[in-house]
Amino acid sequence: MLYYLFQFLDERYNFPGAGVFQYISFRALGAVITSLLIAAIFGRRIIDTLRNLQIGESIRDLGLEGQMQKRGTPTMGGFIILASLLIPALLFAKLTNVYVVLALVSTVWTGMIGFLDDYIKVFKKNKEGLEGKFKVVGQVGLGLIVGLTLSFNDYVKIRKYAPRLFSTSNVPDVYTDIKSTLTTVPFVKNNEFDYSSLLFGFLPDSYTWIVYVLICIFIITAVSNGANITDGIDGLAAGTSVIIGLTIGVLAYLSGNKVFSQYLNIMYIPNAGELVIFCAAFVGACVGFLWYNSYPAQVFMGDTGSLMLGGVIAVLFLAIRKELMIPIICGIFLVELVSVIMQVSYFKYTKRKYGEGRRIFLMSPLHHHFQKKGYHEAKLVTRFWIVGIILAVLALATLKLR
């Protein structure tokens, strides 16, 4: 909103300093500061409100050290993240940008799914929360919206440059903005993959959108649930999301910048740079929430926050066509999710075969396994963050290591 206000002031009245809002870097800085201020000013009030409404976490006794002391800690703290993310994004981003609109829609959509889950747990006293099938329906719905928008919206294009006949900066670039189903493949020299190849020639390329929508649904569901499962100890999901958000912000800036994308020989996506403002607000919101969620937590984000974080991260990756980098950058989410799948699958298999269920880990997800082995919660979270930073650096290195 502020972008349009200062654009009007600059064009109509030549207002001093108004032109600075044209710069992505300035608006990203404004979004970070605003999100941190919102979390600092209103975070405590939101926590007090949750406590007054007796919206406390119901803790199951899993035999973990210090676990039962957390009983009654306010949950639904995801509202702090939502407020700190949405308000700066609305203020500083271009609201006509389809990528920003998709990010905002995904934030509200997954936040509502998480809120329903928390509401049922807290007010209906049902520890299972929203049934899994309804969560999946909501995630599938978002996947359809994102997949169809990225497939058919005329605003969503990539830029293809014609080869230069002369190696001089004085010769203008010849390019074409095209609709495409290309995405980025890490560690590969010619690092682009076309989803149309998954049709294997059985169907014409015009049916590629079906494959792409199914892939969007899978990615959004997987990453959203991965973040949800990771949210098990103080600061783990929020801190990991900060690292991921920063990495996506860098990738969005490079992919949306003509000079850097050509220098790095990566796909140039016109207007994708606007997502840097959203990523800045995302990082600021998560850092602001960590002020209250770091060990020992004063508030839990609940599914209101964790499902939203994962859903938004997935949509951002899809928007900048870097979804094949998710297993690297979101490695923490992936390992946590896979540990649960392995544990449950192996338990069911051994129960059928031997009549007694056996386990791979002491407890799943993986962070509980390490807790059972005696690792202190704070040390465990810090080490997970370090692993997350290493994965982020590795992912950024793939821009040159091919």
Side-chain angles (χ1 to χ4, degrees):
M1 295 178 184
L2 290 178
Y3 170 82
Y4 300 103
L5 172 62
F6 282 92
Q7 183 183 43
F8 171 78
L9 292 174
D10 185 39
E11 294 176 354
R12 188 70 177 270
Y13 301 106
N14 197 24
F15 191 82
V20 75
F21 272 79
Q22 299 295 320
Y23 295 98
I24 287 176
S25 56
F26 178 82
R27 288 185 286 130
L29 181 62
V32 169
I33 294 172
T34 304
S35 61
L36 288 171
L37 287 174
I38 291 171
I41 295 170
F42 297 103
R44 169 53 58 189
R45 297 180 186 181
I46 292 174
I47 293 171
D48 291 341
T49 300
L50 293 172
R51 184 176 285 111
N52 292 335
L53 293 173
Q54 298 183 340
I55 302 177
E57 183 75 17
S58 178
I59 303 291
R60 289 182 297 174
D61 190 358
L62 301 176
L64 299 172
E65 183 181 353
Q67 179 195 18
M68 299 312 294
Q69 296 166 353
K70 298 182 181 183
R71 180 176 290 170
T73 301
T75 187
M76 289 194 191
F79 282 116
I80 299 175
I81 304 177
L82 282 168
S84 303
L85 169 56
L86 290 173
I87 295 173
L90 290 170
L91 286 175
F92 290 96
K94 292 182 184 178
L95 302 182
T96 55
N97 184 296
V98 67
Y99 301 116
V100 172
V101 172
L102 276 179
L104 291 170
V105 169
S106 65
T107 301
V108 176
W109 188 287
T110 50
M112 286 302 299
I113 296 172
F115 168 73
L116 288 174
D117 192 29
D118 286 335
Y119 180 85
I120 293 171
K121 287 178 182 177
V122 173
F123 293 101
K124 300 298 181 181
K125 306 301 180 183
N126 183 346
K127 292 183 179 180
E128 299 301 320
L130 186 66
E131 288 188 48
K133 61 183 179 182
F134 294 119
K135 285 185 186 179
V136 172
V137 167
Q139 291 161 343
V140 169
L142 179 59
L144 285 170
I145 293 171
V146 173
L148 292 173
T149 301
L150 294 177
S151 296
F152 295 109
N153 191 287
D154 291 335
Y155 195 86
V156 179
K157 294 181 179 180
I158 67 169
R159 182 163 295 178
K160 283 291 184 182
Y161 290 95
R164 282 189 175 192
L165 297 177
F166 305 99
S167 57
T168 172
S169 59
N170 295 326
V171 178
D173 290 316
V174 178
Y175 62 85
T176 307
D177 289 343
I178 61 171
K179 296 291 295 180
S180 174
T181 53
L182 289 173
T183 191
T184 303
V185 183
F187 297 112
V188 178
K189 187 171 183 179
N190 298 316
N191 64 334
E192 292 181 355
F193 172 77
D194 198 328
Y195 285 115
S196 63
S197 62
L198 296 178
L199 297 175
F200 301 106
F202 293 115
L203 293 170
D205 290 353
S206 58
Y207 286 89
T208 305
W209 69 270
I210 298 175
V211 175
Y212 184 69
V213 168
L214 292 175
I215 289 170
C216 288
I217 291 171
F218 172 77
I219 289 173
I220 289 172
T221 302
V223 179
S224 183
N225 287 327
N228 185 228
I229 289 170
T230 303
D231 181 36
I233 51 180
D234 300 349
L236 180 56
T240 304
S241 296
V242 169
I243 299 166
I244 295 171
L246 282 170
T247 309
I248 297 173
V250 172
L251 293 173
Y253 183 78
L254 296 175
S255 299
N257 185 284
K258 172 187 171 182
V259 175
F260 286 118
S261 62
Q262 286 188 295
Y263 171 72
L264 294 169
N265 192 27
I266 60 175
M267 188 186 304
Y268 175 50
I269 308 170
N271 306 304
E274 197 66 21
L275 282 175
V276 174
I277 288 92
F278 186 89
C279 290
F282 180 89
V283 170
C286 291
V287 170
F289 179 74
L290 267 176
W291 183 268
Y292 304 103
N293 186 241
S294 57
Y295 182 85
Q298 299 169 264
V299 65
F300 300 139
M301 69 170 67
D303 287 358
T304 305
S306 60
L307 282 173
M308 181 272 292
L309 291 178
V312 169
I313 286 170
V315 172
L316 291 173
F317 273 113
L318 289 164
I320 61 174
R321 302 181 188 240
K322 301 292 186 293
E323 63 271 16
L324 297 184
M325 297 177 76
I326 288 176
I328 304 172
I329 301 173
C330 298
I332 299 294
F333 291 168
L334 176 64
V335 169
E336 294 276 51
L337 181 61
V338 169
S339 71
V340 173
I341 295 172
M342 290 174 60
Q343 185 88 323
V344 173
S345 300
Y346 187 70
F347 186 86
K348 290 181 178 179
Y349 168 74
T350 53
K351 191 170 186 178
R352 284 197 309 269
K353 186 171 183 179
Y354 304 109
E356 179 186 33
R358 300 176 184 177
R359 294 173 172 82
I360 300 173
F361 306 103
L362 296 177
M363 183 180 291
S364 66
L366 189 62
H367 58 260
H368 286 328
H369 169 78
F370 288 112
Q371 280 186 286
K372 283 285 190 179
K373 290 176 72 72
Y375 286 87
H376 189 274
E377 190 170 329
K379 181 180 288 292
L380 188 57
V381 169
T382 303
R383 289 183 174 178
F384 269 64
W385 288 354
I386 293 171
V387 172
I389 293 170
I390 294 171
L391 292 173
V393 172
L394 176 63
L396 293 176
T398 65
L399 297 175
K400 294 296 288 183
L401 297 176
R402 303 178 194 166

